[in-house]
Amino acid sequence: MKFTLTTPIYYINDKPHIGHAYTTIVADIIARYHRLKGEDVFFLTGTDENSQKNIEAAEKLGKGDRIQEYLDEQSAVWRSTWEKLGITNTDFIRTTESRHIAGVEKFFNAVYERGDIYKGTYRGYYCAGCEAFVNESDLVDGLCPLHKKKPDTIEEENYFFSASKYRDALLEHIEKHPEFVQPQSRRNEIINYIQNHFTDISISRQSLKWGIPLPIDKTHVVYVWFDALINYLTGIGYGTNDEMFEKYWPAELHLVGKDIIKFHCALWPAMLMSAGLPLPKQVFAHGFFTIDGDKISKSLGNSIDPVEIANQYGRDPLRYFLVREIPFGSDGDFSFTRLKERYTSDLAKGLGNFVSRVVALAAKDRGEQIDEHNPDEDEVKKIASATWDTWETSLQNYEFGNALDAIWHLISWGDTYIEKTKPWALAKENRARYRHVIDLLLELVRHTSLLIQPFLPETTTKITEQLVVIPYVEALSSKKKKEWHNDAVVSVKRGTALFPPLDV
Ligand code: MSP
C-alpha cells in the first residue's frame, strides 16, 4: 500500500515560523505513522517561489536584479529548518525548478486543449498578501480581512480558466465523498463557496516580470496559485517521471491551513478535472494558532523560530506540545507557560519517570525466567491491545489528542502497577514474583516506545537504546511487534534522563 501526503508549499519572503512548522510537523507525524504500518509513503513539501511577495522582498533587500539568488538562499533556509526539526519528507519541490516548470507547461497545455482557457480582461482587486483576485464582497471596510490592507486595483488582459464549468461536478464529488473536505465544518464552508462564489478565474498575469511564462503567450506568466498547486503533481514526477507519477498519484492527503482551503477544495479539483486527472482523496484543513493570545505577525515581532524552540525544549517536546495542546482542526494558542507545564508534567514526570523507574528496577539481577503464568498479564494485555486500537483509529482520523490520551493512560496504569506491586520489596522477598512484575513492566515500556514513535521519534530511539530486545521479537513485522510478548526484553542498559529539567 502507498500513502502520498503533502504540505502546502511555503512562500519564502520570510523565515519559517511556528505556524508553518505546525503543518509540517503534523504531516511528519502522519508520515511516520503510515511508515510504521509498513506502507510506502511519499511525503512532499517545498517552496512556492513565483510569488509577487517573494519578488518584493528581494527588491527590498536590493536583490531585485538577483532574484534567483535570493530565492536559492531563502529556499535553503526553509529546507534546512525542516532538516533541523527532523522532518522526514521524501522530497522537497521548488517551483523554480525545471522539473516543476516542465510539469506546469504540460498541465497548462492539457487544460488548454480541453478548451478551458480563454482570453479576457480582468478589472478588479488583487490582494498580494493572499496572492488572490478578490471581490468587493470579500473585503471588510475596503480592506482584505486577513491582511488588513487595501488590495491593488488592477486592469489587465488575462487568460481565464473556465472553472465554473466544473461547479456541478465539484458539488457532486463533495456530496459523494464526505471524506474529501475535512473537518466537516470546512465542508459546509466549501459547498457554500462553490455554490455562490465560484466563478471563472484569471490564471495569468501580464504585468509581472517573474514567473513561469504561459506556453501559449510568453508575454504572460502563470498566476502563482495555478502554478503552485501543480507542485503536488510535479513533486512526484508529473511531466518528468511517468512511472513514479502513476505510482504515487492521487495523493491520499493534502494537509493545509484553513486559510487556503478554497484553493485546494475548489480551484484545484476543477483544474484536475479539466486536465483529466484523478482527484486527491482528502484535503484536511487545520486551524490557526496565536502566540500567548496574539496573532503571529512580523509587526508584533512574535514570529518565533521553531528551531529555537526545538533547541531549548527538544524537538520531541515541541512536536508533542503542538498536537497535545491544540485539538487538530481547531484554532488554538501557543503558550510558553503551557509548553513548560506539559514538558514537566507529561514528559519528564509522566513518560520519562516511568521509563527510568522501570529500567532502574530491572537493572538488578532478575533471576531465572519462569514458566508459570503471570496472573496480571491478562489485564495488561487487554489494556495494551485497547490502547493500540484507540491509537489506530485516532491516528487514522487525525485525532492526535485521543491517541496521546490513550498512551498516557497506559503509562499511568504502569505507574500504579509499580506502586501496587512494590518490586523493590519483591526483589528481596519473592524472586519469582519479582521476575514476573519486571517482565511485564519492561514489555509495557517496549509497547510505549512503539506507540509514541510517530509523535516522539527521538524518544523512541532513546528508549530502544536502553532495552535489549530478543532478536526474535525485533525481527517481527510491525503488526506482530504490537502483540504482547512477555519475554521480549532480555536486559536493560541504563541511560540518561529522557527529559532533563528545563533551564529556560
Ligand atoms: N504558498 C501558499 C500555499 C501554496 S500550496 C499549493 C501559502 N503559503 S504560506 O507560506 O502562506 O503558508 C501557508 C500555510 O502555513 C498555511 O496554510 C498553514 O498551513 C501554515 N500557517 C501559517 N500561519 C499559521 C498559523 N498562525 N497557524 C497555523 N498554521 C499556519 O499559503
Side-chain angles (χ1 to χ4, degrees):
M1 253 217 326
K2 67 97 181 168
F3 194 89
T4 303
L5 83 160
T6 65
T7 72
I9 47 170
Y10 301 99
Y11 294 131
I12 51 176
N13 53 327
D14 206 350
K15 288 190 311 188
H17 63 54
I18 192 74
H20 307 119
Y22 181 54
T23 316
T24 312
I25 286 174
V26 170
D28 190 64
I29 290 172
I30 299 170
R32 287 179 191 260
Y33 156 66
H34 283 279
R35 282 194 206 107
L36 210 59
K37 295 210 303 181
E39 294 172 17
D40 176 7
V41 172
F42 200 113
F43 167 18
L44 183 68
T45 189
T47 45
D48 189 351
E49 306 193 5
N50 302 316
S51 149
Q52 202 173 317
K53 292 201 256 201
N54 297 342
I55 313 313
E56 284 163 12
E59 281 164 351
K60 249 194 210 152
L61 291 171
K63 292 188 177 175
D65 54 343
R66 284 168 290 141
I67 288 173
Q68 190 61 53
E69 186 187 307
Y70 170 77
L71 296 174
D72 291 347
E73 284 164 13
Q74 285 298 103
S75 182
V77 169
W78 284 72
R79 193 194 287 260
S80 79
T81 297
W82 305 144
E83 277 167 14
K84 287 178 194 153
L85 293 179
I87 303 299
T88 56
N89 50 300
T90 315
D91 206 342
F92 186 97
I93 179 92
R94 301 180 56 190
T95 55
T96 51
E97 280 176 83
S98 58
R99 61 171 170 156
H100 178 71
I101 297 167
V104 169
E105 285 170 354
K106 176 174 170 170
F107 190 95
F108 182 91
N109 288 333
V111 175
Y112 183 67
E113 276 156 28
R114 171 84 59 171
D116 285 348
I117 290 190
Y118 63 91
K119 207 169 186 177
T121 301
Y122 179 79
R123 270 185 218 95
Y125 298 114
Y126 190 85
C127 171
C130 299
E131 289 285 13
F133 300 92
V134 288
N135 299 320
E136 185 90 55
S137 59
D138 296 325
L139 306 178
V140 177
D141 299 329
L143 306 179
C144 160
L146 268 181
H147 296 93
K148 311 276 182 248
K149 270 195 190 149
K150 202 167 166 244
D152 299 331
T153 306
I154 58 173
E155 173 165 353
E156 54 184 40
E157 183 191 68
N158 282 172
Y159 288 87
F160 284 76
F161 166 51
S162 312
S164 58
K165 201 170 133 182
Y166 297 96
R167 190 182 290 135
D168 292 344
L170 280 176
L171 290 170
E172 195 186 314
H173 184 81
I174 294 172
E175 175 73 22
K176 267 203 198 140
H177 300 276
E179 73 292 350
F180 179 64
V181 186
Q182 281 298 323
Q184 175 69 24
S185 55
R186 301 287 162 213
R187 194 164 165 255
N188 303 337
E189 177 189 327
I190 283 300
I191 293 173
N192 173 49
Y193 169 73
I194 297 174
Q195 276 170 343
N196 303 312
H197 305 284
F198 191 54
T199 52
D200 290 357
I201 172 168
S202 167
I203 54 149
S204 79
R205 297 293 312 273
Q206 200 187 20
S207 52
L208 299 185
K209 61 172 185 188
W210 192 263
I212 302 177
L214 221 63
I216 53 163
D217 182 345
K218 306 276 181 200
T219 65
H220 287 244
V221 296
V222 179
Y223 165 50
V224 66
W225 267 101
F226 195 88
D227 149 2
L229 287 161
I230 300 172
N231 94 85
Y232 298 134
L233 308 177
T234 57
I236 55 173
Y238 179 80
T240 50
N241 183 341
D242 291 345
E243 199 187 319
M244 183 162 87
F245 179 65
E246 291 301 321
K247 184 166 170 200
Y248 291 108
W249 188 258
E252 272 64 33
L253 175 67
H254 290 320
L255 202 62
V256 299
K258 64 175 185 179
D259 54 331
I260 54 175
I261 189 139
K262 287 178 195 163
F263 294 105
H264 284 83
C265 298
L267 175 61
W268 178 226
M271 285 166 63
L272 288 165
M273 283 176 180
S274 171
L277 290 168
L279 306 191
K281 303 278 185 236
Q282 183 170 75
V283 179
F284 195 108
H286 64 72
F288 257 47
F289 55 82
T290 46
I291 295 190
D292 288 326
D294 290 320
K295 184 173 180 260
I296 306 177
S297 86
K298 248 187 178 177
S299 51
L300 284 175
N302 64 352
S303 62
I304 351 161
D305 179 353
V307 176
E308 241 169 67
I309 306 185
N311 289 342
Q312 283 175 353
Y313 296 85
R315 300 180 195 183
D316 279 6
L318 170 63
R319 293 166 75 94
Y320 175 80
F321 180 72
L322 289 176
V323 289
R324 187 70 197 81
E325 188 72 6
I326 302 157
F328 196 57
S330 316
D331 292 338
D333 188 46
F334 187 101
S335 135
F336 281 94
T337 314
R338 292 291 298 143
L339 171 60
K340 283 180 203 158
E341 279 168 10
R342 288 267 183 208
Y343 182 98
T344 308
S345 65
D346 302 9
L347 297 176
K349 289 194 182 147
L351 173 62
N353 215 13
F354 173 61
V355 172
S356 76
R357 270 177 107 186
V358 174
V359 171
L361 286 166
K364 300 190 179 92
D365 173 20
R366 281 153 75 204
E368 290 299 305
Q369 204 177 317
I370 303 154
D371 288 337
E372 233 171 90
H373 178 71
N374 178 356
D376 306 327
E377 201 180 303
D378 301 336
E379 184 186 346
V380 73
K381 259 183 174 171
K382 235 193 248 161
I383 297 180
S385 133
T387 309
W388 278 112
D389 290 346
T390 309
W391 181 90
E392 177 64 36
T393 36
S394 308
L395 272 156
Q396 203 55 257
N397 298 324
Y398 312 129
E399 290 161 353
F400 306 114
N402 279 354
L404 292 169
D405 274 345
I407 302 171
W408 260 254
H409 178 71
L410 188 67
I411 295 172
S412 93
W413 186 94
D415 275 330
T416 312
Y417 187 69
I418 297 176
E419 295 309 320
K420 213 169 67 186
T421 53
K422 303 189 176 41
W424 53 91
L426 292 176
K428 293 182 212 129
E429 296 154 12
N430 185 344
R431 296 293 299 169
R433 177 84 180 126
Y434 170 74
R435 171 83 204 206
H436 266 157
V437 168
I438 297 297
D439 278 355
L440 183 150
L441 285 168
L442 284 173
E443 180 58 358
L444 204 52
V445 171
R446 188 184 70 85
H447 277 261
T448 306
S449 75
L450 295 174
L451 285 157
I452 60 170
Q453 195 175 37
F455 303 101
L456 304 164
E458 288 186 339
T459 309
T460 297
T461 307
K462 284 186 195 159
I463 298 177
T464 311
E465 283 165 2
Q466 300 189 35
L467 305 180
V468 181
V469 175
I470 199 162
Y472 149 77
V473 173
E474 277 293 275
L476 290 174
S477 68
S478 42
K479 198 169 160 214
K480 291 268 177 201
K481 270 199 186 115
K482 295 177 188 169
E483 288 170 7
W484 192 263
H485 302 274
N486 212 15
D487 50 356
V489 183
V490 189
S491 64
V492 292
K493 288 183 266 183
R494 291 186 76 167
T496 50
L498 296 177
F499 302 99
L502 288 172
D503 55 5
V504 279

